[in-house]
Amino acid sequence: MSANSTAGKSDGDDPSIPPNSAESLGSRIRDLDVDSIRRYLAQKLGFYEPSEPSTSVEKVLDEVNLDGIVKWMKSARCQNVITLSGAGISTSAGIPDFRSPETGLYHNLQKYNLPEPQAIFEINFFRQNPKPFFTLAKELFPGSFKPTISHYFIRLLHEKGLLLRHYTQNIDTLERGAGIPGEKLVEAHGTFYTSHCIECRKEYPLDFIKGIIFADQIPICTECPGVVKPDIVFFGESLPERFQHCLQEDFQKCDMLIIMGSSLEVQPFASLIDMVPEWCPRLLINREKAGIRSPLLRLWGMSGGLQLDEDSIRDVARLGECDDGCQELADRLGWGDELRELVAREHELLTQKGSLLNPHPPILEHSGQNVTAEKL
């Protein structure tokens, strides 16, 4: 299962929150005077031309396209790649995203008799009635799906010594199933791999709740009467401490950012694209353009978002299915056959095992959070 929904707000007074969040950008837009907005609208309608030409900015990439990205990644300048992923890298595994019409997870929750679809991931509703969540969890439990080409492309980046960190919105654990080391992962919206009692916080491994869930029962703590909940982030809960810790260390080191299968609508995850240095190239591999900086912000030189037009100096979009984009990028880098062989070999091993059995241990850092996630 993956998280890919509309942005929630973060605590604007917390200095550790990534810059250029939706809330801070919104306040900056509100500060624009009415006359400035009039000029902007007049220019869009062709009634007004700026008195001075805009200052040209030197391009980061020799060619602002996929060829330029490939050349950059083959150069000595590219040493620390960060990847960001959303639901789009897991849909080809058979895992639904959240909001797609007809096929999205929220569209198919009527059978659970919820007050609203999102209630299945709201902590207050869970405390009152955990049964719908555990019924859904049985359907989407880790081990039922195989990692995709996109997941193995990220693993290949690691094996090439280029992956600084992989940040994922997804809670399907397919990164772990693909063999990406735990120290390279930041599961921003939590994971099924560990669970805690919602009352006493006693920790439990995956195997503890798996048997109980598949027996159509609710896991109860062995120390108190509390319900044991997987460490996925519900609406109203905080993001993992590891998310905060790693982003403060990683993003200034980043010299190549790859965004894969994300709508870039969920805060604070979406604002991570603006934390890399201004000279760092950014590649979006997605079905459609996402995270684009608004023309109004561009007109007044405000930062925030991707620039995916003819004026771009570093941002490139490869539109289409994530698996196709990752395979094409691997082909251009000279890794195409290696990626195909890796996928075939690993899928065969998983078929022989019958499930994703005991990938490497998880990073156990879920408590002590200080960033809230209002929406998955």
Side-chain angles (χ1 to χ4, degrees):
M1 184 172 61
S2 308
N4 194 6
S5 58
T6 307
K9 291 183 180 179
S10 300
D11 185 354
D13 296 326
D14 190 334
S16 62
I17 290 176
N20 300 322
S21 68
E23 186 174 347
S24 63
L25 289 176
S27 65
R28 294 167 74 184
I29 292 173
R30 289 192 293 271
D31 289 340
L32 295 173
D33 57 48
V34 174
D35 187 55
S36 295
I37 295 175
R38 284 199 193 102
R39 287 200 305 273
Y40 169 72
L41 294 174
Q43 182 178 347
K44 293 297 288 184
L45 293 172
F47 301 141
Y48 168 80
E49 293 294 334
S51 57
E52 296 181 5
S54 58
T55 304
S56 61
V57 182
E58 184 178 354
K59 289 183 177 180
V60 172
L61 299 170
D62 293 339
E63 301 175 73
V64 188
N65 53 32
L66 200 56
D67 288 335
I69 291 290
V70 170
K71 183 176 180 181
W72 179 277
M73 291 184 68
K74 286 182 173 181
S75 74
R77 295 172 293 183
C78 184
Q79 301 289 329
N80 294 298
V81 178
I82 290 179
T83 51
L84 308 179
S85 73
I89 73 167
S90 294
T91 51
S92 66
I95 300 175
D97 63 11
F98 275 70
R99 295 185 180 274
S100 293
E102 306 301 326
T103 61
L105 182 62
Y106 287 150
H107 181 81
N108 293 289
L109 291 178
Q110 298 93 335
K111 59 186 175 181
Y112 298 112
N113 195 27
L114 303 169
E116 58 180 3
Q118 293 89 339
I120 203 165
F121 295 116
E122 289 178 353
I123 189 61
N124 290 334
F125 181 83
F126 178 85
R127 288 179 178 275
Q128 298 170 11
N129 183 12
K131 183 65 175 178
F133 168 77
F134 286 113
T135 303
L136 176 66
K138 180 180 177 181
E139 296 182 26
L140 300 174
F141 204 82
S144 303
F145 305 92
K146 293 179 181 178
T148 67
I149 293 171
S150 301
H151 292 99
Y152 288 112
F153 176 77
I154 299 165
R155 172 173 162 179
L156 200 55
L157 284 172
H158 163 65
E159 292 181 352
K160 299 292 183 182
L162 293 175
L163 184 66
L164 175 60
R165 204 86 65 190
H166 173 62
Y167 287 73
T168 180
Q169 295 172 273
N170 301 337
I171 57 175
D172 51 38
T173 72
L174 289 182
E175 288 89 357
R176 296 182 180 276
I180 301 169
E183 65 269 17
K184 292 292 183 178
L185 293 177
V186 175
E187 293 157 317
H189 293 156
T191 177
F192 266 101
Y193 256 82
T194 54
S195 300
H196 283 82
C197 171
I198 62 174
E199 302 300 337
C200 73
R201 303 305 299 160
K202 178 177 172 61
E203 183 174 303
Y204 292 88
L206 180 67
D207 289 344
F208 173 83
I209 66 167
K210 181 176 181 179
I212 298 173
I213 290 175
F214 276 78
D216 296 320
Q217 299 175 1
I218 296 173
I220 301 298
C221 181
T222 59
E223 300 292 331
C224 78
V227 176
V228 178
K229 177 180 113 17
D231 288 338
I232 63 173
V233 180
F234 277 30
F235 299 168
E237 291 191 305
S238 300
L239 296 189
E241 182 177 312
R242 178 168 169 77
F243 175 81
Q244 281 297 331
H245 174 74
C246 289
L247 70 85
Q248 292 176 15
E249 293 185 351
D250 291 345
F251 280 82
Q252 288 307 305
K253 300 177 185 177
C254 180
D255 48 40
M256 179 72 222
L257 182 68
I258 303 177
I259 307 118
M260 309 160 65
S262 175
S263 65
L264 294 177
E265 293 180 351
V266 182
Q267 295 295 347
F269 192 91
S271 62
L272 298 184
I273 64 174
D274 297 314
M275 294 189 68
V276 298
E278 293 184 357
W279 51 263
C280 175
R282 301 182 295 187
L283 171 64
L284 174 70
I285 302 176
N286 204 41
R287 287 180 178 176
E288 57 193 19
K289 291 182 179 180
I292 300 174
R293 178 170 38 154
S294 75
L296 186 59
L297 298 184
R298 286 183 54 201
L299 186 62
W300 281 276
M302 292 184 180
S303 61
L306 301 174
Q307 185 175 352
L308 299 174
D309 55 25
E310 65 277 4
D311 297 325
S312 175
I313 62 171
R314 60 167 176 158
D315 296 337
V316 174
R318 195 287 182 189
L319 302 183
E321 299 297 330
C322 287
D323 286 351
D324 294 340
C326 287
Q327 186 63 63
E328 180 181 0
L329 182 55
D331 287 336
R332 291 178 179 235
L333 289 166
W335 310 343
D337 290 341
E338 192 173 351
L339 178 58
R340 292 183 187 90
E341 292 169 3
L342 176 63
V343 173
R345 182 175 68 249
E346 293 295 313
H347 278 191
E348 177 61 26
L349 288 173
L350 292 174
T351 298
Q352 292 174 5
K353 291 179 180 179
S355 64
L356 307 182
L357 297 176
N358 298 322
H360 49 80
I363 301 277
L364 303 180
E365 297 184 30
H366 186 70
S367 59
Q369 306 93 328
N370 59 3
V371 176
T372 60
E374 295 187 3
K375 293 190 181 292
L376 286 171

